[in-house]
Amino acid sequence: MWVYIEKISEYVEKEVTIKGWLYNIRSAGKLMFPILRDGTGMIQGVVSKKDVTEKVWESFGKLTQESSVIVTGKVSKHPKKENVYELQISDMEIVSISEPYPITPKEHGIDFLADKRHLWIRSPRQAAILRVRNEIIQSIREYMYNNGFILFDTPIFTPNACEGTSTLFSTDYFDLGKAYLSQSGQLYAESGAMALGKVYTLGPTFRAENSMTRRHITEFWMMEPEMAYFDLDDDMNMIEDFLEYVVQRVIKNKRAELEILERDVTKLEKVKKPFPRITYNEAVEILRQKDVPLIKKTANGEEQIRPFPWGEDFGAPHEEAIVENYDKPVMVHRWPAHAKAFYMKRDPENPDIALGVDVLAPEGFGEIIGGSQREDNLDYLLERIKEHELPESEFQWYLDLRRYGSVPHSGFGLGIERLVSWICNLEHIREAIPYARRPNRIRP
RNA sequence: UGGAAGAUAGCUCAAUGGUGGAGCAUUCGGCUGUUAACCGAAGGGUUGGGGGUUCGAGUCCCCCUCUUCCAGCCA
């Protein structure tokens, strides 16, 4: 009977067939120990010369790493290890002998592995990450469904920049001129919230920024909820509830994978409501107390400005300094308005402040969520569009949302790969997606 | 886009300006409980590209290409 390795413990002392690949093989005279993988896990086989035919024995001798095989044998407990199973092999059929496999069970450089990404994903660590990614996305969809959110898929081809800031990828679009690849589905999601109450988008997003860091890819997946009648506090309440659900479900269902990744799960177990909420002003106070300066590039090098001036955006060292006090995600809210996007609503108590929130993951993973309450007043929004020198004509449909039954509403954007990086404790975001797209890499 | 480091066998890395090596992978042989198994043998190289200094350059100098890390932008 064909079974998958992840279910192997249900078949102890039974004869089963596994269809998979040879991960590695060791031999000791009349014994061989092939390690098999089938996509769901790995198991060590035991081949004894006296228990198999001459043909099967010789076939095992021919196997190279990643050769595909169909193996039959009896499942047994490992003689030395608890909760580990082996396959006492009685028969084997070669499906295909692999050519010398480039990814040997030794160390490799990152550029080589990236070139061989189509094979790299077979390795236990990469496969574990992709299983966790699947669990994360499944948890997100489940949370959203269970909480009354409607999946609202937004277009990838768009006629203009959403926020007017990032550089966009462009392509020809028939007789209509240029089309741009979406850098956010938010504006469309806002229209969805006015139609359906609570909606979310989950899909690929594109940024043509030449960002060569461990936290950036040019094509990434973003989840963007948008909720009618939610103010900033409602938004933050949802963020905490949502993040707790996803993290706790992943550590419950994907413990084996997190172990392969050597993830310290106790740190994730602490991700429970409530999360610390600090205003931008309070964050600036922390930076001043810790004497973290603003570093400005000048013609002849760098200049350190202290105390940290109000109104400046935070860089990596500032996020680090703010987050290190906490072992949960930190929500920094109420930002200087001039540094933020045009659609953010101003604080009624202070027009210099925008009702935005950034969520900084613990352990130095930085921003994983950016959100805000949206400007729902037609006149203010028109003013912002003019200030940001955006083409008003392109935003008429968006402005309609304020003309016809405008309501307070809020939402946020979550970077899926950044969430995966944090939960899996990855050194680099390129491992958080099957095929990472970066400014200098589009293959394979 | 700026700063730093780097490019030598299929892979990971050594090599004082003086005959380019090792481990893994591959091929062959040995071993009845191996855990990146081990032991023995073999094959495998235009030292990223171009120019220069030198009796002699993987090594020193210049240019180019590519990669990695850090910073900015952000999710």
Side-chain angles (χ1 to χ4, degrees):
Chain A
M1 183 180 31
W2 176 22
V3 302
Y4 284 102
I5 293 169
E6 66 180 347
K7 302 281 184 196
I8 207 76
S9 62
E10 297 169 18
Y11 298 93
V12 180
E13 296 303 317
K14 297 204 172 102
E15 187 172 89
V16 299
T17 295
I18 287 171
K19 302 186 180 186
W21 296 263
L22 183 76
Y23 178 68
N24 196 2
I25 187 164
R26 290 180 276 267
S27 70
K30 307 285 190 294
L31 281 178
M32 281 193 265
F33 301 95
I35 296 175
L36 305 160
R37 61 169 197 88
D38 72 348
T40 72
M42 300 218 285
I43 188 169
Q44 171 165 281
V46 182
V47 189
S48 175
K49 192 173 184 184
K50 66 176 167 50
D51 292 342
V52 296
T53 62
E54 189 73 10
K55 188 173 163 245
V56 168
W57 179 259
E58 279 174 10
S59 295
F60 268 103
K62 281 189 270 184
L63 292 185
T64 52
Q65 189 186 354
E66 285 303 313
S67 289
S68 37
V69 290
I70 297 174
V71 167
T72 299
K74 199 168 83 172
V75 180
S76 64
K77 289 189 172 170
H78 193 286
K80 294 175 189 169
K81 292 178 183 167
E82 277 295 306
N83 294 322
V84 174
Y85 300 93
E86 292 184 324
L87 193 66
Q88 304 293 327
I89 292 170
S90 53
D91 198 10
M92 186 269 279
E93 179 195 330
I94 295 174
V95 178
S96 170
I97 294 282
S98 172
E99 291 179 25
Y101 192 65
I103 304 179
T104 61
K106 285 275 176 180
E107 286 174 23
H108 297 282
I110 187 60
D111 190 43
F112 174 77
L113 290 171
D115 280 339
K116 299 275 183 275
R117 183 60 174 170
H118 52 293
L119 303 175
W120 188 22
I121 50 178
R122 299 183 186 190
S123 67
R125 189 184 147 77
Q126 298 307 312
I129 294 167
L130 295 177
R131 284 193 206 102
V132 172
R133 178 188 168 99
N134 173 60
E135 184 72 21
I136 288 171
I137 292 174
Q138 192 62 29
S139 308
I140 291 171
R141 289 192 182 283
E142 212 167 278
Y143 179 93
M144 301 313 275
Y145 187 87
N146 291 342
N147 285 279
F149 286 79
I150 306 296
L151 178 65
F152 187 80
D153 299 312
T154 53
I156 289 170
F157 286 135
T158 58
N160 61 286
C162 155
E163 304 179 18
T165 49
S166 299
T167 321
L168 303 181
F169 291 104
S170 69
T171 183
D172 292 325
Y173 199 83
F174 304 106
D175 296 334
L176 300 181
K178 289 277 180 213
Y180 299 91
L181 300 189
S182 173
Q183 56 145 339
S184 166
Q186 181 202 313
L187 303 193
Y188 293 102
E190 287 184 47
S191 73
M194 300 306 132
L196 300 158
K198 291 195 288 188
V199 299
Y200 74 105
T201 76
L202 177 49
T205 307
F206 307 87
R207 305 257 166 110
E209 305 281 352
N210 191 6
S211 301
M212 298 286 282
T213 80
R214 66 171 69 181
R215 308 184 56 245
H216 291 85
I217 41 183
T218 56
E219 175 183 333
F220 64 97
W221 283 61
M222 189 151 67
M223 196 282 281
E224 295 173 284
E226 195 67 36
M227 299 79 74
Y229 288 105
F230 269 46
D231 64 15
L232 185 64
D233 286 339
D234 297 325
D235 204 22
M236 291 195 280
N237 291 343
M238 183 206 152
I239 288 171
E240 312 178 300
D241 194 59
F242 162 82
L243 269 184
E244 177 185 307
Y245 176 84
V246 172
V247 170
Q248 295 306 321
R249 192 182 125 159
V250 169
I251 60 180
K252 179 168 154 255
N253 292 349
K254 285 289 165 274
R255 203 160 273 269
E257 279 75 10
L258 294 173
E259 208 162 293
I260 290 169
L261 298 169
E262 295 174 321
R263 206 329 168 192
D264 183 354
V265 176
T266 61
K267 291 195 169 150
L268 294 177
E269 281 166 350
K270 290 176 182 156
V271 180
K272 295 243 168 99
K273 291 190 290 185
F275 298 166
R277 300 182 187 193
I278 60 174
T279 62
Y280 171 86
N281 289 356
E282 288 164 345
V284 168
E285 266 316 300
I286 293 172
L287 295 178
R288 288 177 179 172
Q289 272 166 27
K290 294 193 175 186
D291 198 31
V292 185
L294 175 72
I295 295 172
K296 276 236 160 145
K297 289 253 165 87
T298 59
N300 41 358
E302 290 179 350
E303 187 190 351
Q304 299 200 344
I305 301 169
R306 48 169 57 95
F308 188 93
W310 191 95
E312 293 289 336
D313 213 343
F314 300 152
H318 311 108
E319 288 185 358
E320 185 70 31
I322 293 161
V323 163
E324 68 185 0
N325 296 359
Y326 307 98
D327 51 12
K328 296 180 188 186
V330 180
M331 301 200 272
V332 182
H333 60 98
R334 291 182 166 76
W335 291 76
H338 63 86
K340 289 292 179 184
F342 78 94
Y343 51 73
M344 287 194 189
K345 187 177 177 65
R346 298 295 169 98
D347 189 337
E349 290 166 22
N350 183 348
D352 294 332
I353 295 286
L355 295 176
V357 56
D358 281 3
V359 180
L360 307 176
E363 300 170 75
F365 280 90
E367 185 179 345
I368 53 171
I369 284 177
S372 69
Q373 184 168 341
R374 322 304 190 188
E375 182 54 73
D376 50 83
N377 179 286
L378 178 64
D379 295 331
Y380 292 163
L381 192 55
L382 267 168
E383 221 171 275
R384 295 291 118 69
I385 286 173
K386 282 185 188 123
E387 274 171 23
H388 285 79
E389 294 175 343
L390 297 171
E392 205 179 303
S393 58
E394 291 288 352
F395 287 91
Q396 286 308 316
W397 70 267
Y398 183 64
L399 292 164
D400 270 359
L401 305 176
R402 278 73 182 169
R403 293 188 180 105
Y404 303 109
S406 187
V407 301
H409 60 290
S410 301
F412 63 87
L414 163 79
I416 299 291
E417 287 75 20
R418 287 190 177 175
L419 182 62
V420 173
S421 293
W422 167 44
I423 291 179
C424 292
N425 195 27
L426 304 183
E427 256 171 55
H428 201 292
I429 197 166
R430 72 182 134 223
E431 294 182 67
I433 183 169
Y435 290 93
R437 292 292 178 246
R438 305 182 64 223
N440 64 343
R441 182 172 291 280
I442 197 168
R443 295 189 173 86

